[in-house]
């Protein structure tokens, strides 16, 4: 089944200059290995086409069942230079949770998303 | 040695809730109150203030807070550590002393940490071959040298520890890292050495957990914001620190908000870079070693943290002037709100072309439709209203002024049913850009002044 990341994770985002960081945290520990597989930097880079113009880096924090994504060149120059309404990328946390992934039916049933 | 100390966060940024530090002092026991007022751009604002008035250049909000709580902290023997000193920590100290005098508080010991302001020493360093190149792009500082406003070294916990050792009750600093403010009392109280890397790392991570105020106690909490009780009086975080390096994130009992593993995780990931290499002047902390455990209602135990030796460099934050921006808004109403806003955008862009005004960038967003998530936004057929935002950035001040007069006339000259012009013409704002660099630790030293008044 197709499922939005919103059902599997929570997130918080912030800025460092023109780089946005998005911390993505699995809602349950059992989701973490699946997210590790599907939430590749390439996938996230493609998701943010038209927002992020530089590379995307992914760091793993298995101890928190979390990832930290760095989106370079993603804030229109950042700081006071940016003309974006969300110049500090505060709402990119939920933008990443719009990402839709293919969850195998077996897992979807196990986790209660499919009856 | 104390068995534990309670360090309370009173402020997450300059502009945070005024009553937060007051609640921290009055609603339960604490040993330390730490207040973070500085962001990357705050220093340039403070530098401008100081240039206009030599008695200013610090976070004045802190003085208003001290007006309220100075008698409380003296009576309860709470120590206060803050980077409110900004570009002028001695002026900040003097303002506190005036309050003490007014309240007839005697023998108040205040420590000042300074030496971080290297604005006047930039050329000296450049002459000595200390390049201060841009940390990320490698660019030469000479490309913006003439436009520099301020340059500050980020010091760590060490000078604050020195001030505490000299028995200061209040420590006012310039640019000390947010995390260092929280680490310092742990080093001082528990006698940690500057090579106890695991413990120092724990102190830094404790600082990171509370430096943004209520962001760890249920504020901006995505996982469960609807569950957060009494957000109107949200409790700010408190670190209960132990000599082993373990700590608990909690808050006063009779306050709103919540502390759980999810809220703490969200804050730990906030503004994080490489989690294995969280570089500070004191230690390189490893966020992949953090273990969390719910240890009771509104109590999260944090343990297992490891760290590595720090680098030989301090980070320097340099601010410089980089042109202007001007951003205007107009609100278009149903029906065809989006079409009207798009038409208005076309008109403005045509006039910019026709008059030949020069901008580096023109950027349009439709608030309420696709602004914050841009191309990821889902389509709405017929929004009830759309706010048109047009922004320009450039170096020509005159063209910027001309642009600022363009939005409001559209009310009479453009598409119909438009409002939201009540606050007048948008004002051009100077772009203060930020230039991060590194400087060898051996060429700059923090200085500490502790005196009794």
């Amino acid at each position: 089944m197709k499922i939005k990341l919103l059902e599997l994770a929570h997130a918080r985002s912030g800025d460092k200059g023109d780089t946005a960081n998005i911390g993505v945290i699995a809602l349950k520990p059992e989701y973490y290995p699946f997210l590790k597989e599907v939430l590749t930097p390439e996938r996230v880079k493609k998701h943010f086409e038209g927002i992020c113009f530089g590379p995307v880096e992914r760091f793993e924090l298995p101890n928190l069942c979390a990832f930290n994504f760095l989106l370079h060149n993603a804030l229109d120059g950042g700081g006071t230079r940016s003309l974006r309404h969300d110049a500090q990328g505060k709402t990119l946390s939920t933008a990443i949770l719009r990402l839709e992934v293919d969850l195998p039916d077996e897992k979807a049933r196990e986790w209660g998303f499919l009856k | 040695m104390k068995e534990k100390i309670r360090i309370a966060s009173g402020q997450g940024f300059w502009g945070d809730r005024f009553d937060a530090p007051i609640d921290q002092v009055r609603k339960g026991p604490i040993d330390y109150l730490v207040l973070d007022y500085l962001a990357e751009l705050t220093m340039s604002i403070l530098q401008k203030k100081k240039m206009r008035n030599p008695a200013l250049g610090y976070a004045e909000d802190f003085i208003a807070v001290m007006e309220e709580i100075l008698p409380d902290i003296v009576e309860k023997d709470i120590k206060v550590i803050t980077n409110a000193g900004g570009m002028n920590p001695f002026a900040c100290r003097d303002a506190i002393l005036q309050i003490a005098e007014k309240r007839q508080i005697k023998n108040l010991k205040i420590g000042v940490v300074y030496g971080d302001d290297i604005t006047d020493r930039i050329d000296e360093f450049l002459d000595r071959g200390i390049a201060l190149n841009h940390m990320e792009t490698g660019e030469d500082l000479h490309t913006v040298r003439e436009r520099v406003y301020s340059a500050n070294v980020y010091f760590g916990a060490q000078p604050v520890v020195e001030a505490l050792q000299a028995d200061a009750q209040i420590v006012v600093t310039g640019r000390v890292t947010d995390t260092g403010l929280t680490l310092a009392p742990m080093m001082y109280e528990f006698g940690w050495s500057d090579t106890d890397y695991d413990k120092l790392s724990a102190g830094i991570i404790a600082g990171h957990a509370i430096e943004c105020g209520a962001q760890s106690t249920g504020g901006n909490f995505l996982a469960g914001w609807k569950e957060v009780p009494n957000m109107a009086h949200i409790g700010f975080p408190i670190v209960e620190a132990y000599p082993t390096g373990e700590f608990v994130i909690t808050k006063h009992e009779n306050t709103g908000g919540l502390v759980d593993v999810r809220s703490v995780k969200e804050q730990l990931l906030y503004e994080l870079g490489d989690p294995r290499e969280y570089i500070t002047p004191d230690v390189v902390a490893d966020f992949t070693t953090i273990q969390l455990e719910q240890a009771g209602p509104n109590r999260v135990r944090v343990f297992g943290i490891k760290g590595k030796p720090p680098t030989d460099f301090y980070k320097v934050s340099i601010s410089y002037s980089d042109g202007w921006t001007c951003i205007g808004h107009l609100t278009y109403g149903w029906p065809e709100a989006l079409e009207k806003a798009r038409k208005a955008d076309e008109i403005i862009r045509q006039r910019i072309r026709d008059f030949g005004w020069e901008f580096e960038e023109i950027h349009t967003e439709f608030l309420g439709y696709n602004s914050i998530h841009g191309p990821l936004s889902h389509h709405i057929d017929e929004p009830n209203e759309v706010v048109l935002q047009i922004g320009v950035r450039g170096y020509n001040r005159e063209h910027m002024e001309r642009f600022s007069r363009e939005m409001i006339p559209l009310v009479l000259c453009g598409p119909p049913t438009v409002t939201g012009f009540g606050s007048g013409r948008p004002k051009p704002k100077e772009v203060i850009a930020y230039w991060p660099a590194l400087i060898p630790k051996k060429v700059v030293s923090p200085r500490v002044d502790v005196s009794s008044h």
Side-chain angles (χ1 to χ4, degrees):
Chain A
M1 70 176 288
K2 297 247 182 239
I3 190 167
K4 276 200 175 10
L5 196 52
L6 184 67
E7 306 282 339
L8 302 171
H10 60 117
R12 178 171 293 177
S13 55
D15 68 316
K16 270 279 180 276
D18 197 19
T19 299
N21 106 288
I22 311 179
V24 176
I25 306 155
L27 281 169
K28 292 185 174 166
E30 55 264 38
Y31 301 166
Y32 185 69
F34 172 71
L35 293 177
K36 188 170 156 181
E37 208 175 294
V38 295
L39 219 50
T40 60
E42 297 76 28
R43 185 73 199 277
V44 172
K45 166 79 182 163
K46 193 169 180 339
H47 180 69
F48 281 104
E49 228 167 56
I51 295 176
C52 171
F53 298 97
V56 169
E57 289 182 275
R58 180 179 90 169
F59 299 96
E60 293 164 27
L61 295 101
N63 53 322
L64 304 180
C65 294
F67 306 94
N68 187 34
F69 290 94
L70 295 185
L71 279 58
H72 297 277
N73 214 334
L75 296 171
D76 187 32
T80 63
R81 193 184 275 134
S82 176
L83 298 174
R84 289 215 195 131
H85 186 57
D86 185 14
Q88 293 169 310
K90 297 271 187 196
T91 65
L92 293 180
S93 55
T94 53
I96 201 170
L97 300 182
R98 289 175 179 265
L99 198 149
E100 222 172 45
V101 295
D102 282 309
L103 182 64
D105 286 354
E106 193 186 325
K107 275 206 163 65
R109 263 187 289 274
E110 187 189 323
W111 294 344
F113 295 112
L114 264 184
K115 289 272 157 59
Chain B
M1 193 202 301
K2 285 183 184 155
E3 272 175 28
K4 66 170 182 189
I5 52 171
R6 283 165 65 88
I7 305 166
S9 155
Q11 198 82 166
F13 66 103
W14 189 358
D16 208 347
R17 276 206 181 141
F18 177 74
D19 47 335
I22 301 168
D23 284 354
Q24 289 290 45
V25 165
R26 292 183 186 159
K27 288 197 167 173
I30 60 168
D31 302 296
Y32 286 84
L33 179 68
V34 296
L35 303 103
D36 172 30
Y37 285 93
L38 301 182
E40 279 161 5
L41 297 169
T42 316
M43 292 308 249
S44 57
I45 297 163
L46 293 174
Q47 173 68 0
K48 281 192 192 173
K49 281 192 173 218
K50 188 182 167 186
M51 279 157 62
R52 282 195 294 267
N53 180 348
L56 294 179
Y58 55 88
E60 292 147 64
D61 276 16
F62 176 63
I63 301 306
V65 168
M66 291 310 285
E67 287 267 8
E68 279 287 324
I69 64 169
L70 188 59
D72 299 76
I73 68 147
V74 169
E75 185 199 330
K76 295 179 177 170
D77 196 23
I78 295 167
K79 292 186 174 166
V80 177
I81 303 172
T82 180
N83 56 17
M87 292 303 287
N88 205 348
F90 283 98
C92 182
R93 178 196 67 183
D94 293 345
I96 302 166
L97 288 176
Q98 281 184 9
I99 300 168
E101 199 175 332
K102 208 161 62 187
R103 300 295 187 101
Q104 296 182 319
I105 292 166
K106 296 208 167 47
N107 304 319
L108 185 64
K109 240 181 180 178
I110 304 181
V112 176
V113 174
Y114 63 109
D116 59 296
D117 179 2
I118 56 164
T119 312
D120 296 332
R121 296 182 64 192
I122 292 175
D123 293 323
E124 174 203 327
F125 289 129
L126 293 179
D127 289 348
R128 285 166 62 186
I130 297 157
L132 301 173
N133 289 344
H134 194 290
M135 244 170 84
E136 283 143 29
T137 65
E139 255 180 298
D140 193 317
L141 184 64
H142 285 105
T143 56
V144 301
R145 174 67 193 98
E146 296 305 309
R147 294 182 275 142
V148 165
Y149 275 119
S150 61
N152 291 78
V153 178
Y154 282 75
F155 289 138
Q158 201 59 53
V160 178
V161 173
E162 275 176 49
L164 293 171
Q165 283 165 342
D167 205 25
Q169 178 157 17
I170 300 171
V171 183
V172 174
T173 78
R175 188 64 267 201
V176 164
T177 58
D178 316 343
T179 49
L181 303 177
T182 299
L183 169 62
M186 299 184 201
M187 291 177 74
Y188 165 65
E189 295 280 1
F190 303 142
W192 295 349
S193 90
D194 57 7
T195 55
D196 283 340
Y197 299 122
D198 293 345
K199 288 173 182 162
L200 299 182
S201 181
I204 288 293
I205 287 169
H208 185 86
I210 66 167
E211 72 179 333
C212 295
Q215 269 205 148
S216 55
T217 54
N220 189 23
F221 176 39
L222 189 59
W225 68 274
K226 289 180 188 164
E227 307 158 28
V228 179
N230 196 9
M231 263 201 226
H233 300 282
I234 199 163
F236 272 45
I238 294 170
V239 168
E240 209 172 87
Y242 297 86
T244 56
E246 282 192 26
F247 59 92
V248 170
I249 310 280
T250 186
K251 65 182 190 66
H252 285 320
E253 272 176 21
N254 46 353
T255 58
L258 63 81
V259 185
D260 73 16
V261 168
R262 297 167 307 162
S263 70
V264 171
K265 278 186 186 179
E266 283 193 18
Q267 175 53 25
L268 287 174
L269 288 158
Y270 182 65
E271 289 186 350
L272 186 62
D274 180 346
R276 289 180 186 279
E277 302 271 329
Y278 187 90
I279 300 171
T280 75
D282 303 292
V283 67
V284 176
D286 185 350
F287 277 54
T288 67
T289 59
I290 301 171
Q291 299 299 318
L292 301 178
E293 175 191 275
Q294 193 77 42
N298 294 314
R299 288 177 68 81
V300 170
R301 180 175 158 246
V302 189
F303 59 101
I305 292 170
K306 304 275 182 218
K308 289 173 287 192
T311 73
D312 294 330
F313 295 90
Y314 286 122
K315 189 173 165 185
V316 184
S317 168
I318 300 168
S319 70
Y320 64 99
S321 173
D322 197 25
W324 302 84
T325 60
C326 188
I327 301 177
H329 297 94
L330 285 174
T331 305
Y332 286 89
W334 182 93
E336 299 173 315
L338 184 62
E339 287 83 343
K340 292 168 187 166
R342 284 196 200 282
K343 182 71 186 170
D345 178 47
E346 271 172 39
I347 295 167
I348 297 268
R349 283 171 183 260
Q350 186 190 333
R351 286 176 61 83
I352 289 172
R353 276 196 306 275
D354 291 350
F355 290 111
W357 301 332
E358 288 162 6
F359 299 118
E360 301 292 309
E361 186 187 1
I362 307 169
H363 179 77
T364 305
E365 290 182 5
F366 301 100
L367 277 60
Y369 179 69
N370 68 354
S371 163
I372 57 175
H373 286 177
L376 291 168
S377 313
H378 54 261
H379 177 70
I380 308 168
D381 270 338
E382 188 56 275
N384 289 297
E385 63 211 31
V386 165
V387 178
L388 167 68
Q389 170 179 307
I390 308 180
V392 296
R393 182 172 59 80
Y395 294 95
N396 187 318
R397 180 75 202 263
E398 193 195 321
H399 293 170
M400 199 59 64
E401 293 291 348
R402 292 294 303 274
F403 169 82
S404 82
R405 287 179 232 147
E406 281 300 308
M407 292 296 276
I408 295 176
L410 276 180
V411 172
L412 303 186
C413 306
T417 53
V418 53
T419 184
F421 48 87
S423 48
R425 280 181 194 160
K427 287 191 178 60
K429 271 167 57 179
E430 187 179 7
V431 175
I432 307 290
Y434 163 67
W435 182 285
L438 294 174
I439 194 166
K441 279 181 175 168
K442 56 178 188 246
V443 303
V444 273
S445 303
R447 303 180 69 182
V448 179
D449 173 287
V450 180
S451 47
S452 189
H453 305 271

